[in-house]
Amino acid sequence: MSDFSTLGLSETVMQGVNDAGYTTPTQIQAESIPIILAGKDLVGASQTGTGKTAAFMLPTLSRLGESGKLRCLILEPTRELASQVKSATEDLGKNTNLKTLLVHGGVSYGPQKDGLEAGVDIVVATPGRLLDHMQQKTIDLSNIDVLILDEVDRMLDMGFLPDVRRIVKALPENRQTLFFSATMPPQIEGLASWVLKDPEAVEIGARRSAAETVSHYFYPVTDSQRYELLMALLKKTDFHSVMVFTRTKAQADRLFADLQKAGDYKCTIMHGDIRQGDRVKALEGFRDGKFDVIIATDLAARGLDISNVSHVINYQVPENADDYVHRIGRTGRAQKEGDAYTLLSGAELEHAKNIEDFIGQKVPRKKCEGFDYKYTALLDDTDPGARIAGMVRKRKTGIKRRRR
Ligand code: AMP
């Protein structure tokens, strides 16, 4: 693989690369950087944790050169992602004089308006708040040269595509557009063909594959023993930081309360109903090692760069196969090893099968050694129908329930 110095990045940006400690470009960086430096449009399908942010930011910072007007707009689906991309941009561009501003909801307008008025080169925004500024005419997008649409599949999930279209319509036509989406359902293909001009495509690995550095397993269990098994897994696992995903906010709250009551782990929580300030605190505390466990919903699953997650545990099987890939992508980032466990009950077998079809591989079933399983049939690796049919209660000596 090539060296960063052969890719044509500017000197100040190369200093940022060296300061970040990057020595070898990842595959998406090696492939995308020359295309972006040449001013071409790009459509990239990339797994999370592949170095995508630097892949688009390094050449963009190089092309922007000196500070001037607002020339680069980056759209992100969530506040956390926007704030993460802003930090990466500032780190990688710290030897340039380019200024970056974060524009997202959940915080007051004042500092954002002041920042825009003072002048910035790059805005990293979520769609809703950006539209507010556009309506209030507090942002001037007439000099945008580079538009970066990141995590477009997530924008689709969150219902942002109409907002994205409105924003794109307000931008100069003569610009470079970089478009990233881990998956390309038809609605996204439609947006891509409308927004991009003669793009070069960069596809890293199979679009649907789970990160290669992750070992993932299904742990069959009945619903009634789900919490017990989670505790047993946590106890047995030599983890330093673990993300536990639940399907709903209410389940996250419940699990958080139970884990706090148990008191064995320093744990925190993050989902859409948690106040923005507390979300930031939770994430920062988790990153800094103040918490061992973070309980999260899918809001946290996409793209967030928390580099030292050693384990991901899906408390329930995600209904959406695409979410599975994103969730387990939280571990095993940038070639680090990681493990992902998914607790699987009989009612979730169909979701499990969808996931296996989606990623094109069978996820091995594992048993937690020493755990007192109430039902054992789910542990047999036969076909789902047979597993359900054969689900028999393990007889416990001495405990007999009488039928009335
Ligand atoms: P991303 O896929 O952009 O979220 O990046 C995932 C992680 O990989 C981040 O922690 C980056 O700082 C890190 N990273 C990106 N590019 C490189 C590289 N060339 N060498 C080492 N680490 C990298």
Side-chain angles (χ1 to χ4, degrees), residues 170-214:
L171 299 178
E173 279 202 19
N174 194 7
R175 56 157 204 272
Q176 180 181 37
T177 306
L178 314 176
F179 190 105
F180 294 91
S181 188
T183 55
M184 279 285 170
Q187 298 100 310
I188 293 185
E189 295 244 21
L191 177 71
S193 60
W194 174 67
V195 87
L196 292 162
K197 276 194 204 119
D198 198 15
E200 299 267 341
V202 178
E203 189 166 338
I204 308 301
R207 244 180 223 169
R208 294 168 160 193
S209 73
E212 277 159 20
T213 47
V214 181

Side-chain angles (χ1 to χ4, degrees), residues 266-290:
K266 288 174 278 168
C267 95
T268 185
I269 181 166
M270 185 173 141
H271 61 59
D273 286 350
I274 304 275
R275 282 191 314 130
Q276 177 64 13
D278 292 337
R279 266 151 64 173
V280 171
K281 268 192 221 148
L283 263 186
E284 283 178 358
F286 185 65
R287 274 201 190 110
D288 300 346
K290 212 168 106 194

Side-chain angles (χ1 to χ4, degrees), residues 21-82:
Y22 300 170
T23 48
T24 315
T26 64
Q27 197 184 348
I28 192 172
Q29 290 163 359
E31 293 193 16
S32 309
I33 291 173
I35 298 170
I36 300 174
L37 282 175
K40 292 186 182 151
D41 279 10
L42 178 136
V43 53
S46 164
Q47 291 172 220
T48 51
T50 50
K52 171 168 57 103
T53 316
F56 64 71
M57 247 13 265
L58 292 172
T60 301
L61 289 165
S62 281
R63 289 193 75 223
L64 290 174
E66 289 297 307
S67 180
K69 295 174 177 160
L70 172 53
R71 285 163 298 147
C72 173
L73 174 66
I74 305 168
L75 286 185
E76 295 288 341
T78 65
R79 297 164 192 177
E80 283 76 16
L81 273 169

